[in-house]
């Protein structure tokens, strides 16, 4: 799932950077001027996906970075790039809203 999402994001980025009609690459400013920029959310998602792939390689995938416990199977199926278990993620979200 992570590899497929990474490939999809790379394809999206490449198409956002292409100059319409020429097949050439454009600088980021030009891509932004054409309205086809790689969004902040997409950049963040790419970073999270790539970080999850590193955790897999290092044998750390599936462990919560906050409490050290296991990230539940259902959470990883829903959000494969998750860094925290659901309990810690909820605590982080609640703390951000205070």
């Amino acid at each position: 799932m992570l590899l497929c999402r990474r490939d999809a994001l790379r394809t999206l980025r490449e198409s956002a950077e292409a100059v319409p009609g020429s097949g050439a690459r454009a600088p980021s400013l030009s891509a932004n001027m054409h309205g086809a920029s790689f969004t902040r959310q997409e950049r963040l998602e790419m970073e999270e996906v790539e970080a999850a792939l590193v955790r897999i390689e290092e044998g750390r995938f599936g462990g919560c970075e906050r409490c050290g416990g296991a990230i539940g199977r259902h959470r990883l199926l829903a959000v494969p790039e998750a860094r925290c278990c659901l309990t810690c993620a909820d605590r982080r979200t609640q703390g951000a809203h205070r």
Side-chain angles (χ1 to χ4, degrees):
M1 288 172 54
L2 289 166
L3 292 173
C4 288
R5 186 60 187 150
R6 181 186 64 187
D7 292 344
L9 286 165
R10 283 181 177 171
T11 300
L12 181 63
R13 180 179 56 205
E14 289 167 3
S15 66
E17 292 173 350
V19 173
S22 72
R25 298 290 211 182
S28 296
L29 181 59
S30 177
N32 288 336
M33 290 171 39
H34 287 85
S37 63
F38 202 56
T39 67
R40 180 179 183 272
Q41 182 64 33
E42 290 161 341
R43 282 191 308 273
L44 291 174
E45 185 176 357
M46 177 65 97
E47 290 171 9
E48 290 299 318
V49 167
E50 290 191 356
L53 291 169
V54 168
R55 289 192 302 275
I56 289 171
E57 287 178 17
E58 295 175 348
R60 298 182 299 116
F61 184 77
C64 178
E65 291 184 354
R66 296 192 78 183
C67 72
I71 298 175
R73 180 174 171 248
H74 293 287
R75 176 159 170 76
L76 288 173
L77 287 172
V79 186
E81 67 274 14
R83 293 176 179 261
C84 299
C85 67
L86 191 55
T87 302
C88 289
D90 285 344
R91 286 182 190 150
R92 178 186 289 172
T93 303
Q94 289 173 358
H97 292 293
R98 290 183 184 179

